[in-house]
Amino acid sequence: MVVDRAVAQAFYSAVLGWKFRSSSLDEGFVVATVGGDPVAGIGTRRPELVPASEWTPYFAVRDADATAARIRERGATVAVGPMALGDGRVGMAADRDGATFGFWDGYTLAWSPGEGQAPVRLDLQTRDVFDAAVFYGEVLDWAAEDFEVVYRNDHVLVKLRDRVVLSLRGGGVQTSSLAHLRPRWLVNFAVDDVEIAVSAAMAAGGSKPQPSSAARAPAGFSRTLKDPGGALFILTHREP
């Protein structure tokens, strides 16, 4: 969600080669595509809202009302909805650590992390990774779906059909190296050459976050950046 959609479209077109088409959801919402395949959505938000620009993951659910109830029952916050949007129903929430996310019931958008040209992975930056894994596992009913949850030291990997689609990173509340950073979801976008994409981002008005507020990129060849509207995202080298 951005304040100036034209600026955001120009930026991501330069960095990731996206093209854009209109959407049936709303006149202020466009779908980004690569090679004709949808990869993300960009919508317009009111300028008085803070932060002005932010990437938000939406999780597909079978029942938005039941999901909202599970979120509240587990001490988290449902901030918006569930409400009708297009052919589906959508809600916005914050987990127990304050990281925001959306949930979507009904018709789902045609992109998913790890599929085709879509973002390579979603990463949760959190203070207590094991508490987060329990929370999202219960709210999103991972046990009933085809997900495999793998615990590794201070992070958790969530796999779908042997492909990592989510990464939860942090550690215990007292020991987490991310304790000074705001909990948030980050989107990894796969590119063929990270440094070329970083250079394109700098030339198009992007920036590198200051150390005090920067997200810590997962291990591997990746860079965390900020778009002209202030939204954080990660560029990750695309594996063959």
Side-chain angles (χ1 to χ4, degrees):
M1 299 298 292
V2 300
V3 172
D4 193 325
R5 203 182 69 206
V7 170
Q9 289 181 219
F11 175 80
Y12 287 102
S13 177
V15 177
L16 298 173
W18 288 355
K19 298 183 183 301
F20 298 90
R21 61 172 173 80
S22 60
S23 167
S24 61
L25 293 177
D26 184 89
E27 63 180 13
F29 187 90
V30 294
V31 176
T33 65
V34 175
D37 296 329
V39 295
I42 296 181
T44 305
R45 68 189 301 170
R46 296 194 306 273
E48 67 270 19
L49 296 179
V50 177
S53 181
E54 186 171 46
W55 283 105
T56 303
Y58 286 82
F59 298 101
V61 298
R62 300 184 186 281
D63 187 322
D65 293 317
T67 299
R70 287 198 293 268
I71 291 170
R72 294 187 182 101
E73 288 167 358
R74 286 156 181 79
T77 303
V78 177
V80 178
M83 63 182 185
L85 183 62
D87 294 328
R89 299 181 69 241
V90 66
M92 293 289 297
D95 66 20
R96 289 188 289 234
D97 213 17
T100 58
F101 65 97
F103 53 97
W104 199 296
D105 165 9
Y107 170 77
T108 54
L109 302 176
W111 60 80
S112 179
E115 298 292 338
Q117 307 262 20
V120 64
R121 193 179 63 239
L122 295 172
D123 291 320
L124 176 66
Q125 171 182 288
T126 187
R127 296 186 180 92
D128 191 332
V129 68
F130 301 111
D131 179 76
V134 171
F135 171 80
Y136 285 100
E138 292 177 346
V139 167
L140 301 175
D141 203 14
W142 285 344
E145 305 293 342
D146 296 327
F147 292 104
E148 177 188 2
V149 181
V150 180
Y151 291 83
R152 292 184 180 174
N153 296 326
D154 64 344
H155 63 278
V156 174
L157 302 178
V158 181
K159 296 183 176 181
L160 180 62
R161 297 185 292 275
D162 294 326
R163 178 179 294 185
V164 176
V165 292
L166 300 177
S167 171
L168 314 181
R169 295 173 181 270
V173 173
Q174 302 301 321
T175 61
S176 174
S177 60
L178 304 180
H180 65 293
L181 301 178
R182 182 171 74 85
R184 70 177 81 218
W185 281 95
L186 289 164
V187 184
N188 274 263
F189 293 110
V191 295
D192 292 325
D193 190 309
V194 172
E195 295 307 333
I196 288 178
V198 169
S199 296
M202 297 299 102
S207 60
K208 297 178 181 179
Q210 296 299 315
S212 61
S213 62
R216 176 178 159 185
F221 189 24
S222 60
R223 297 288 186 271
T224 303
L225 299 175
K226 185 181 291 187
D227 72 15
L232 291 175
F233 65 99
I234 299 175
L235 295 175
T236 299
H237 179 68
R238 180 181 284 111
E239 297 294 334

